[in-house]
Amino acid sequence: MTHQPQQSPQFFLTAPSPCPYLEGQLERKVFTHLVGGRASELNDLLTQGGFRRSQNIAYRPACENCRACVSVRILAGEFKQDKSMRRVWNRNRDLIGNIHHAEPSTEQYSLFRHYLDARHNKGGMSEMTVLDYAMMVEDTHVPTQIIEYRRRGPDSFITKKGEGELIAVALTDMMGDGLSMVYSFFNPEHASRSLGTFMILDHIQRAAAAGLPHVYLGYWVEGSRKMQYKIRYKPQEHLGPKGWERQD
């Protein structure tokens, strides 16, 4: 019997588990695998439909009694920095982001470990080993890049590279209609730089310069303080029952 490859992805549903964002809530996710020659196309379609990528899995919330998770994307071409964002941008003018293939390094993992220990030592990622980190970066079948942020050097205008210590890292998917920020981390000892904000601003500028309309930030969770930062970047769109709706 001739085997016919499946043309449509198969979707699966996770069992209920405690929600990491809202106390007392249970979360469930629907997910599928991103593999094969159509992985990039499928990732674009699913991301536009509210999914997120983690390694070779695309997932989205499918909670029975809660709809707090809302997919957010920034309209990069229309975005204007407010006063506090301009201060963050100017504070980090000495940094430059250099693009690499999605390949892990010991320097990246050392920074990642420092970030988790300082900011998320009780989170679900707190026990990630160097091999777990390598899988997070490498296990992708879609166009993915690592952006490493370092201080500018005297020849950065020629080399397009920073020099010195690694200060921040972003793992980013390149899509047909924008950039999707998969995960980012930074040196917590540079808290005054507001590096999380800076990396989002940098991605907005990169998307706009490339003529890409969107920067995908994942989920804003209403009622979760640690997710409130995502709705600062206006204009943006939220995915609802009627599709993507503008928020100014």
Side-chain angles (χ1 to χ4, degrees):
M1 182 173 64
T2 302
H3 173 69
Q4 296 293 330
Q6 291 181 325
Q7 298 300 312
S8 299
Q10 289 185 298
F11 290 88
F12 307 90
L13 188 65
T14 65
S17 61
C19 176
Y21 302 111
L22 298 177
E23 188 175 353
Q25 294 286 353
L26 294 176
E27 71 166 359
R28 300 189 78 177
K29 296 175 182 176
V30 60
F31 69 94
T32 189
H33 293 88
L34 293 169
V35 294
R38 295 182 61 241
S40 180
E41 175 188 355
L42 180 60
N43 185 53
D44 277 23
L45 290 172
L46 291 177
T47 302
Q48 292 159 7
F51 281 71
R52 291 288 286 167
R53 184 183 72 81
S54 177
Q55 296 178 220
N56 65 0
I57 297 290
Y59 67 91
R60 66 170 297 171
C63 307
E64 296 175 0
N65 300 312
C66 180
R67 295 293 182 271
C69 292
V70 178
S71 293
V72 172
R73 66 186 185 187
I74 303 165
L75 297 175
E78 300 180 52
F79 175 78
K80 302 293 183 183
Q81 296 180 8
D82 63 22
K83 288 184 179 180
S84 70
M85 292 173 185
R86 285 197 294 273
R87 286 195 293 269
V88 171
W89 185 258
N90 290 331
R91 199 177 302 143
N92 290 284
R93 283 189 176 276
D94 61 330
L95 300 185
I96 187 169
N98 189 38
I99 296 175
H100 299 268
H101 295 298
E103 298 175 351
S105 70
T106 55
E107 188 181 21
Q108 290 170 20
Y109 179 72
S110 178
L111 180 62
F112 177 70
R113 187 73 263 160
H114 187 25
Y115 172 77
L116 291 182
D117 291 343
R119 295 294 187 96
H120 302 286
N121 63 346
K122 295 182 180 179
M125 303 175 74
S126 62
E127 301 300 322
M128 286 181 65
T129 66
V130 64
L131 293 178
D132 295 327
Y133 175 76
M135 288 293 289
M136 183 178 80
V137 173
E138 291 180 326
D139 195 5
T140 176
H141 292 253
V142 306
T144 304
Q145 61 190 16
I146 282 274
I147 305 178
E148 293 187 346
Y149 295 89
R150 304 175 190 269
R151 288 188 174 87
R152 293 179 182 272
D155 296 325
S156 288
F157 70 98
I158 297 175
T159 64
K160 307 300 182 184
K161 295 180 180 180
E163 296 182 1
E165 68 168 317
L166 182 63
I167 292 177
V169 173
L171 180 65
T172 304
D173 285 348
M174 296 165 287
M175 299 170 48
D177 72 331
L179 302 177
S180 178
M181 298 186 69
V182 177
Y183 195 76
S184 59
F185 54 94
F186 52 85
N187 188 334
E189 296 174 10
H190 292 281
S192 63
R193 285 181 174 271
S194 301
L195 289 163
T197 297
F198 171 71
M199 283 189 281
I200 293 175
L201 296 175
D202 183 62
H203 277 69
I204 295 170
Q205 185 180 81
R206 289 173 185 270
L212 298 171
H214 304 124
V215 173
Y216 288 84
L217 287 187
Y219 302 115
W220 165 59
V221 183
E222 187 172 7
S224 172
R225 289 183 60 188
K226 60 184 178 181
M227 289 295 182
Q228 283 301 107
Y229 73 92
K230 294 188 178 184
I231 57 173
R232 294 180 55 209
Y233 304 88
K234 304 289 182 69
Q236 62 182 227
E237 293 180 327
H238 293 180
L239 184 60
K242 297 180 181 179
W244 288 98
E245 298 179 314
R246 185 185 178 98
Q247 309 287 322
D248 287 299

